[in-house]
């Protein structure tokens, strides 16, 4: 039941944040007032249906601008989302997370990430610092303007949600595509293939937004708690976790996206959601 509830919420949020359906017909981008507001999850600004802005794209836009100023709005919003929800946003409110999960439903052999490769989880923090902050800030042109380097060179969500639809619907863009578009499509294809066989690889290894929210997991108002009087240490929660989190040891791991699989599968009902100081039964 909880699994179905989460999927319904994910679908509603994905459709709601991309509800400018006219854009998909006309091949245009919505530029109304709501575009000044950041959505909590990773959702490309250039998606024809996007009604809000991606916080990672907005952060780079401010950092790379010629009149750089500390973005109190974007940083404050990320801290607000993180302090309340942590990576609950990744598990419940991120459209690109939903896309990866749907791809993972395609019948195929499924693979757990080898423990020797678990260190790759730190790659998303390197990408956050290098491609979202340092390169947009310091790799500037003669006019002092930088590029949104994560969006420009890496983000497969942007290619899927924005790049491909706009190119397909605009002949002028079709004549302008080059090696960068081919590179982004290649990264998207790799992401799609990996998502079919591995659960949410982009979230695990690449996503800088997930990296930011992960810092809030241990302190957010929404978090997990293990009742040590009930927990027998059987480890079933860890075996059921698709992100390989040993929940009974660390219920608020930086990698936990709050999908709730551990709660549903715990035979002793030892894992609970805690919201603020109040426990949810």
């Amino acid at each position: 039941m909880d699994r179905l509830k989460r999927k319904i919420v994910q679908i509603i949020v994905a459709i709601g944040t991309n509800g400018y359906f006219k854009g998909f017909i006309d091949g245009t981008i919505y530029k109304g007032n709501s575009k000044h507001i950041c959505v909590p999850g990773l959702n490309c600004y250039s998606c024809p249906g996007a009604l809000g802005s991606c916080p990672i794209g907005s952060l780079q836009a401010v950092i790379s601008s010629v009149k750089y100023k500390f973005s109190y709005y974007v940083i404050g919003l990320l801290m607000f989302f993180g302090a309340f929800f942590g990576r609950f946003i990744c598990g419940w409110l991120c459209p690109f997370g939903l896309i990866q999960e749907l791809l993972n439903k395609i019948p195929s052999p499924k693979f757990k990430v080898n423990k020797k490769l678990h260190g790759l989880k730190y790659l998303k923090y390197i990408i956050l610092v290098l491609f979202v902050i340092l390169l947009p800030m310091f790799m500037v042109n003669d006019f002092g303007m930088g590029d949104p380097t994560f969006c420009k060179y890496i983000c497969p969500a942007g290619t899927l949600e924005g790049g491909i639809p706009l190119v397909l619907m605009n002949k002028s863009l079709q004549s302008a595509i080059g090696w960068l578009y081919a590179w982004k499509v290649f990264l998207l294809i790799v992401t799609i293939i990996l998502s079919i066989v591995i659960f949410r690889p982009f979230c695990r290894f690449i996503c800088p937004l997930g990296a930011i929210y992960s810092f809030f997991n241990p302190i957010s108002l929404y978090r997990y708690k293990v009742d040590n009087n009930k927990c027998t240490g059987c480890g079933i929660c860890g075996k059921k976790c698709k992100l390989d989190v040993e929940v009974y040891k660390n219920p608020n791991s930086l990698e936990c996206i709050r999908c709730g699989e551990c709660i549903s599968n715990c035979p002793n009902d030892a894992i609970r959601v805690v919201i603020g100081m109040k426990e949810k039964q």
Side-chain angles (χ1 to χ4, degrees):
M1 185 62 186
D2 286 344
R3 190 179 298 167
L4 176 62
K5 187 195 307 180
R6 187 171 76 91
K7 201 59 68 186
I8 291 173
V9 171
Q10 286 178 295
I11 292 171
I12 291 174
V13 171
I15 295 175
T17 53
N18 294 286
Y20 184 65
F21 304 118
K22 188 172 181 292
F24 290 107
I25 299 172
D26 298 341
T28 57
I29 299 174
Y30 176 72
K31 295 181 178 178
N33 291 333
S34 65
K35 226 39 185 300
H36 298 297
I37 302 172
C38 289
V39 297
L42 197 79
N43 194 72
C44 185
Y45 177 97
S46 296
C47 174
L51 292 170
S53 295
C54 174
I56 290 297
S58 299
L59 186 60
Q60 292 171 94
V62 174
I63 292 175
S64 63
S65 71
V66 67
K67 296 180 179 179
Y68 168 70
K69 293 181 180 178
F70 184 82
S71 179
Y72 291 99
Y73 167 67
V74 180
I75 298 295
L77 205 62
L78 287 171
M79 292 181 69
F80 174 81
F81 287 143
F84 272 86
F85 302 109
R87 293 198 73 180
F88 173 89
I89 291 170
C90 305
W92 290 70
L93 306 178
C94 181
F96 197 60
L98 171 63
I99 291 170
Q100 291 173 81
E101 290 187 14
L102 294 177
L103 288 168
N104 196 248
K105 296 290 184 185
I106 295 174
S108 73
K110 307 299 179 189
F111 299 99
K112 283 269 189 181
V113 176
N114 191 295
K115 287 188 176 180
K116 293 179 181 178
L117 299 177
H118 281 191
L120 288 176
K121 65 185 178 184
Y122 298 112
L123 182 59
K124 58 180 174 287
Y125 301 102
I126 295 173
I127 289 174
L128 170 64
V129 173
L130 186 61
F131 283 88
V132 177
I133 300 175
L134 294 181
L135 289 178
M137 184 178 291
F138 295 111
M139 193 172 74
V140 297
N141 60 21
D142 294 339
F143 301 100
M145 293 184 65
D147 281 326
T149 46
F150 174 74
C151 297
K152 185 174 180 178
Y153 297 108
I154 297 178
C155 187
T159 309
L160 180 65
E161 298 170 1
I164 290 178
L166 291 176
V167 167
L168 288 176
M169 292 184 286
N170 290 275
K171 290 185 178 179
S172 59
L173 290 177
Q174 292 171 13
S175 62
I177 60 176
W179 70 268
L180 184 56
Y181 184 78
W183 165 249
K184 293 291 296 292
V185 170
F186 169 74
L187 289 182
L188 173 62
I189 292 172
V190 171
T191 304
I192 289 173
I193 293 172
L194 288 178
S195 297
I196 292 172
V197 297
I198 298 173
F199 186 73
R200 295 180 73 148
F202 177 80
C203 307
R204 296 176 70 129
F205 306 127
I206 307 296
C207 184
L209 187 57
I212 293 173
Y213 288 143
S214 73
F215 292 122
F216 293 92
N217 253 13
I219 59 173
S220 63
L221 293 179
Y222 186 100
R223 58 192 188 279
Y224 285 176
K225 182 179 180 181
V226 174
D227 186 338
N228 292 324
N229 293 321
K230 293 183 177 180
C231 180
T232 61
C234 65
I236 290 177
C237 54
K239 293 175 183 174
K240 293 294 182 181
C241 178
K242 295 179 179 178
L243 291 170
D244 304 317
V245 175
E246 292 183 304
V247 183
Y248 70 104
K249 292 180 180 177
N250 185 9
N252 297 302
S253 161
L254 304 190
E255 302 306 309
C256 176
I257 61 168
R258 310 310 196 192
C259 68
E261 287 290 331
C262 55
I263 296 176
S264 300
N265 286 283
C266 177
N268 302 305
D269 195 25
I271 308 169
R272 296 183 183 279
V273 170
V274 177
I275 300 177
M277 300 301 293
K278 183 179 179 181
E279 292 188 20
K280 180 182 177 182
Q281 299 298 319

